[in-house]
């Protein structure tokens, strides 16, 4: 039962947000109600398409119309002077006062939210000048103060820097500074840490919690990561197919989840304390079946999280036997003395005088059927290493020996042949798909280039099979990339990589854009394919819990060098290097003890 003595900031009552599509009306948000109190952090969780982002865009009236529209309900904002405003009825000009000034939003991808042609400082200044009665001098001082508050290094330099000159974590802090510039009462954060490595994510979460207390604001935190929710939220709202299926304080949700969908979200997260053959998925906890009227209904399975998890646990002896088997083989890939440097300063005549050593004398072996994890903070060189292995970045020195042949010495023609056997799944699915090509043709194209199957009819049938394999609909064949969510685009890229049935796949942050339930399906799929076709993976990710689940061995990289290399279990249970220990300690673990400790130490909301 809610504490009615607390000050209410926002009431959402029976909100309905619909979208008109070719297939009919999509009920993205379907008659939901909840309340936000002053000073609290409320987490909204659910997979892609659950309606969590649309809910918050509706609050700010940022739904594109057409095709979207608010079909009903109230969005009651309680102003500090006691007046209650229904934002659902405020006109476009009137909403300009509330957006940024009273309610601010931090979007998922800072690069698309920041204007690339203006400096970061000017963009924050613009928000201040728009809503505050001040001049440019005062606005600049306020911006520098905010940059200091969000822990940006060298605020003067950042003020004059453009978005492309900053790291992902720095861009996200600029967005937070912009959101805080007018001291809003409510801060909406839409997946603000999804693209960040664990150490930066940990810093951002702590920063947001400190700022919430500092400006006495409320935070609505949207994410698919329940580990993150455990770190920051006071209450949790679980959404599924446009509806709220469960709501409670964070301890209740983690200890005694009631709805099967909530149980599945908790179980889908890769565990750190033990290894699993596969991850539980939503279908392990519930079925969605049509009733007599043709409407889908959720049928709960009578299972607990522990009972499902225990089915998939791996004994330590099985892991040891697998490692012994792998190392008895000849390596499929051997990297020797690999160096990839990029010039950052040149003389007038074009001679490089200063280099960034992205990959600096790296050595390792990968065995057939093995998954080698590659982890480290942003800028550590892990992505450059993956790209250098397949010659998408040129090495300065060293060898990359694949099945006895040095890839770095291959001709263009030889390289084209071997790329059928070595595929890469890129981090950014949108930039790796042609916006003018349907996704069906995008998956078929490499099959045509390499002459797989007899004709396009057979290839199309194979594409349909691949789409279903990555949990997409065959009807998606003729759609374009912009018609899909980020997670769906990533699954399309995975399907395209699998189309050539390669033997070696480099996964570069290939599940970072996916919500936890779909991520579990894709990770299970990659493991099934490894067992079926003896695929070999290099798995690059900033999510260390995912890497531990996927990998036999793990390489930890730092500043272009290998910091530590060992079995996945040893890296986690007995890290030798201080840098590795720091990475592991930054993982949002969502442990019950930690949630209790945080709840006890936090000042009780009144």
């Amino acid at each position: 039962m809610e504490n009615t003595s607390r000050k209410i900031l926002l009431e959402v009552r029976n909100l309905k947000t619909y979208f008109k599509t070719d297939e009919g009306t999509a009920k993205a948000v379907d008659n939901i109600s909840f309340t936000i109190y002053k000073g609290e952090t409320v987490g909204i969780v659910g997979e892609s398409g659950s309606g969590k982002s649309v809910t918050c865009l509706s609050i700010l009236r940022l739904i594109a119309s057409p095709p979207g529209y608010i079909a009903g309900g109230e969005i009651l904002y309680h102003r500090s002077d006691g007046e209650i405003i229904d934002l659902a009825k405020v006109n476009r000009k009137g909403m300009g006062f509330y957006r940024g000034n009273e309610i601010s939003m931090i979007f998922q991808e800072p690069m698309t939210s920041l204007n690339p042609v203006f400096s970061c400082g000017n963009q924050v200044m613009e928000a201040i000048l728009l809503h505050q009665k001040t001049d440019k001098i005062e606005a600049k001082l306020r911006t520098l103060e905010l940059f200091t508050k969000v822990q940006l290094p060298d605020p003067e330099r950042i003020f004059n820097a453009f978005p492309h000159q900053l790291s992902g974590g720095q861009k996200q802090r600029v967005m937070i500074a912009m959101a805080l510039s007018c001291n809003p009462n409510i801060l909406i954060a839409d997946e603000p840490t999804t693209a960040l490595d664990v150490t930066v994510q940990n810093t951002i979460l702590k920063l947001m919690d400190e700022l919430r207390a500092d400006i006495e604001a409320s935070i609505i935190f949207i994410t698919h990561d329940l580990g993150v929710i455990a770190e920051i939220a006071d209450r949790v709202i679980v959404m599924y197919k446009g509806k709220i299926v469960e709501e409670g304080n964070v301890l209740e949700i983690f200890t005694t989840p009631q709805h099967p969908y909530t149980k599945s979200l908790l179980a889908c997260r890769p565990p750190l304390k033990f290894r699993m053959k596969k991850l539980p998925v939503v279908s392990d906890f519930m079925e969605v079946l049509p009733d007599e009227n043709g409407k889908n209904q959720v049928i709960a399975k009578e299972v607990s999280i522990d009972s499902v998890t225990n089915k998939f646990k791996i004994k330590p002896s099985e892991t040891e036997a697998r490692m012994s088997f792998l190392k008895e083989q000849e390596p499929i890939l051997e990297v020797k003395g690999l160096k990839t440097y990029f010039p950052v300063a040149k003389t007038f005549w074009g001679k490089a005088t200063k280099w960034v050593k992205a990959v600096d004398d790296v050595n390792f072996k990968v065995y057939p059927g093995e998954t080698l994890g590659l982890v480290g903070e942003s800028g550590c060189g892990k992505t450059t290493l993956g790209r250098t292995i397949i010659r998408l970045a040129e090495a300065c020195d060293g060898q990359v020996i694949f099945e006895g042949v040095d890839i770095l010495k291959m001709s263009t023609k030889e390289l084209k042949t071997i790329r059928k056997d070595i595929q890469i799944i890129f981090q950014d699915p949108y930039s790796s798909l042609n916006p003018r090509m349907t996704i069906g043709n995008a998956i078929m194209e490499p099959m045509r280039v390499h002459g797989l199957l007899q004709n396009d009819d057979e290839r199309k049938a194979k594409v349909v099979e691949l789409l279903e394999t990555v949990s997409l609909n065959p009807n998606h064949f003729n759609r374009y990339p912009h018609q899909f969510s980020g997670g769906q685009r990533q699954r399309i890229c995975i399907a395209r990589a699998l189309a050539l049935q390669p033997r070696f796949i480099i996964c570069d942050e290939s599940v970072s854009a996916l919500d936890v339930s779909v991520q579990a399906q894709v990770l299970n799929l990659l493991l099934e394919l490894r067992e079926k076709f003896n695929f070999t993976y290099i798995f690059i990710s900033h999510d260390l819990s995912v890497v531990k689940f996927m990998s036999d061995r793990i390489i930890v990289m730092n500043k272009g060098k290998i910091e530590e290399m060992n079995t996945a279990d040893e890296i986690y249970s007995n890290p030798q290097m201080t840098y590795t220990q720091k990475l592991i300690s930054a993982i949002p673990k969502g442990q019950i003890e930690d949630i209790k400790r945080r709840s006890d130490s936090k000042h009780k909301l009144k």
Side-chain angles (χ1 to χ4, degrees):
M1 191 171 176
E2 296 296 345
N3 183 353
T4 54
S5 65
R6 287 188 278 159
K7 178 176 170 54
I8 294 174
L9 280 185
L10 187 74
E11 292 177 274
V12 173
R13 295 180 181 174
N14 308 115
L15 180 64
K16 300 175 183 177
T17 304
Y18 298 168
F19 288 82
K20 292 179 180 176
T21 69
D22 294 338
E23 289 82 24
T25 300
K27 297 181 178 181
V29 174
D30 191 13
N31 197 27
I32 69 167
S33 301
F34 61 90
T35 302
I36 304 294
Y37 295 93
K38 185 176 177 63
E40 72 172 347
T41 299
V42 176
I44 303 181
V45 299
E47 57 196 330
S48 297
S50 64
K52 56 188 189 297
S53 290
V54 174
T55 298
C56 291
L57 290 172
S58 298
I59 291 170
L60 283 171
R61 298 281 301 282
L62 291 173
I63 299 295
S65 179
Y69 61 100
I70 294 177
E74 299 173 299
I75 304 166
L76 304 178
Y77 176 64
H78 293 241
R79 294 183 54 168
S80 55
D81 61 6
E83 186 180 3
I84 299 175
I85 305 294
D86 186 357
L87 298 180
K89 293 182 172 63
V90 175
N91 62 29
R92 184 176 177 182
K93 185 178 180 181
M95 279 306 299
F97 170 79
Y98 293 100
R99 291 191 199 118
N101 193 33
E102 302 275 331
I103 307 174
S104 288
M105 189 160 183
I106 305 166
F107 293 95
Q108 180 174 357
E109 179 43 67
M111 195 62 210
T112 57
S113 305
L114 292 169
N115 193 323
V117 300
F118 291 103
S119 72
C120 295
N122 279 321
Q123 294 186 61
V124 177
M125 271 182 65
E126 182 184 24
I128 294 170
L129 290 169
L130 181 65
H131 292 290
Q132 306 287 310
K133 294 177 180 178
T134 186
D135 56 25
K136 287 187 176 181
I137 294 173
E138 182 62 33
K140 180 174 180 179
L141 290 173
R142 171 72 176 144
T143 300
L144 292 171
E145 181 188 326
L146 284 164
F147 282 177
T148 302
K149 185 176 281 189
V150 299
Q151 300 171 22
L152 277 165
D154 194 355
E156 284 280 0
R157 180 184 66 82
I158 299 291
F159 185 94
N160 295 307
F162 290 86
H164 73 274
Q165 296 174 305
L166 306 183
S167 70
Q170 288 174 335
K171 284 195 286 278
Q172 196 60 281
R173 288 180 211 187
V174 170
M175 284 296 300
I176 293 172
M178 190 183 298
L180 295 173
S181 61
C182 298
N183 292 320
N185 287 320
I186 299 174
L187 182 62
I188 299 173
D190 187 3
E191 303 271 11
T193 61
T194 297
L196 306 179
D197 60 63
V198 286
T199 51
V200 178
Q201 174 180 265
N202 191 44
T203 302
I204 294 293
L205 291 177
K206 286 180 178 177
L207 171 65
M208 290 186 69
D209 207 31
E210 289 166 8
L211 292 172
R212 176 194 57 78
D214 186 34
I215 65 174
E216 296 186 331
S218 298
I219 296 176
I220 301 175
F221 199 100
I222 304 168
T223 183
H224 60 255
D225 190 336
L226 281 156
V228 169
I229 285 294
E231 295 284 320
I232 197 169
D234 302 303
R235 284 194 297 125
V236 183
I237 293 170
V238 183
M239 291 192 69
Y240 176 69
K241 295 189 182 300
K243 294 182 179 292
I244 292 174
V245 295
E246 189 162 356
E247 182 177 356
N249 71 53
V250 67
L251 190 58
E252 290 171 348
I253 293 295
F254 273 76
T255 53
T256 55
Q258 300 300 306
H259 197 276
Y261 181 67
T262 311
K263 292 179 182 179
S264 72
L265 288 181
L266 287 164
C268 286
R269 295 170 60 241
L272 290 169
K273 292 184 177 180
F274 50 85
R275 294 184 69 82
M276 300 180 73
K277 294 172 186 165
K278 61 174 286 191
L279 291 171
V281 293
V282 173
S283 59
D284 290 312
F285 294 88
M286 67 188 219
E287 292 178 291
V288 180
L289 299 171
D291 60 19
E292 61 273 11
N293 299 317
K295 290 186 177 182
N296 286 338
Q297 58 177 343
V298 173
I299 308 296
K301 294 182 179 178
E302 295 300 319
V303 293
S304 66
I305 294 175
D306 287 341
S307 67
V308 173
T309 301
N310 287 334
K311 284 197 304 184
F312 304 135
K313 280 185 181 179
I314 296 178
K315 296 176 183 175
S317 57
E318 294 177 276
T319 304
E320 291 167 12
R322 175 173 166 76
M323 282 307 308
S324 297
F325 167 73
L326 290 172
K327 289 187 175 181
E328 286 173 1
Q329 306 173 92
E330 287 296 314
I332 189 172
L333 183 83
E334 190 168 2
V335 172
K336 297 181 178 180
L338 191 63
K339 298 177 181 179
T340 307
Y341 298 170
F342 298 106
V344 291
K346 295 182 180 181
T347 64
F348 177 78
W349 307 105
K351 184 178 179 182
T353 57
K354 189 177 180 182
W355 302 81
V356 168
K357 297 181 179 181
V359 178
D360 191 15
D361 195 19
V362 167
N363 300 271
F364 63 88
K365 297 176 182 178
V366 190
Y367 299 95
E370 180 183 22
T371 300
L372 180 69
L374 203 53
V375 299
E377 296 174 287
S378 297
C380 71
K382 57 187 186 295
T383 290
T384 302
L385 174 56
R387 292 172 68 88
T388 304
I389 288 171
I390 58 171
R391 294 272 298 275
L392 291 178
E394 288 299 330
C396 300
D397 196 9
Q399 295 176 290
V400 178
I401 301 169
F402 180 73
E403 295 187 328
V405 181
D406 189 352
I407 292 175
L408 302 186
K409 293 180 180 176
M410 284 184 170
S411 66
T412 304
K413 185 178 179 180
E414 290 171 325
L415 199 58
K416 180 181 175 182
T417 303
I418 206 168
R419 279 191 173 148
K420 175 183 175 298
D421 297 319
I422 305 179
Q423 287 287 298
I424 185 167
I425 303 167
F426 292 101
Q427 179 175 358
D428 181 1
Y430 197 74
S431 61
S432 57
L433 290 169
N434 187 333
R436 297 183 178 181
M437 184 180 287
T438 65
I439 63 106
N441 281 320
I443 298 170
M444 280 176 66
E445 184 182 40
M447 298 166 73
R448 287 195 193 106
V449 169
H450 290 278
L452 265 67
L453 303 178
Q454 299 299 313
N455 52 54
D456 276 359
D457 287 340
E458 289 186 13
R459 293 182 191 114
K460 184 172 182 178
K462 182 65 178 176
V463 171
V464 168
E465 180 188 324
L466 287 167
L467 288 173
E468 291 176 330
T469 299
V470 296
S471 302
L472 288 171
N473 194 314
N475 294 335
H476 291 152
F477 186 97
N478 292 313
R479 293 188 187 178
Y480 290 86
H482 74 273
Q483 295 175 291
F484 294 90
S485 69
Q488 287 173 322
R489 285 195 290 266
Q490 193 62 284
R491 282 181 266 169
I492 292 162
C493 290
I494 291 169
R496 184 177 60 180
L498 298 177
L500 297 179
Q501 297 182 347
R503 298 202 304 281
F504 196 106
I505 299 176
I506 298 172
C507 303
D508 185 7
E509 300 279 9
S510 57
V511 296
S512 63
L514 305 180
D515 58 66
V516 68
S517 56
V518 177
Q519 175 182 274
Q521 293 172 25
V522 172
L523 294 176
N524 288 342
L525 168 66
L526 291 172
L527 289 182
E528 287 166 17
L529 293 168
R530 186 183 74 180
E531 298 308 309
K532 186 175 181 180
F533 299 108
N534 201 37
F535 284 164
T536 305
Y537 298 118
I538 289 181
F539 196 90
I540 303 168
S541 179
H542 63 260
D543 188 332
L544 281 82
S545 57
V546 167
V547 173
K548 179 180 185 292
F549 168 71
M550 283 293 296
S551 305
D552 298 296
R553 289 183 301 143
I554 292 176
I555 289 175
V556 180
M557 285 192 72
N558 182 23
K559 296 178 181 177
K561 292 183 177 291
I562 292 178
E563 188 85 14
E564 189 167 351
M565 178 166 50
N566 210 329
T567 65
D569 291 342
E570 277 297 306
I571 287 287
Y572 276 81
S573 62
N574 190 28
Q576 299 299 302
M577 307 303 290
T578 304
Y579 179 77
T580 310
Q581 293 165 6
K582 183 182 79 167
L583 285 181
I584 292 170
S585 66
I587 302 171
K589 299 176 179 64
Q591 301 297 318
I592 303 302
E593 317 84 73
D594 297 333
I595 299 171
K596 286 180 178 176
R597 198 178 302 116
R598 186 171 67 83
S599 298
D600 292 341
S601 63
K602 206 165 191 178
H603 179 68
K604 190 176 181 181
L605 291 169
K606 294 183 180 179

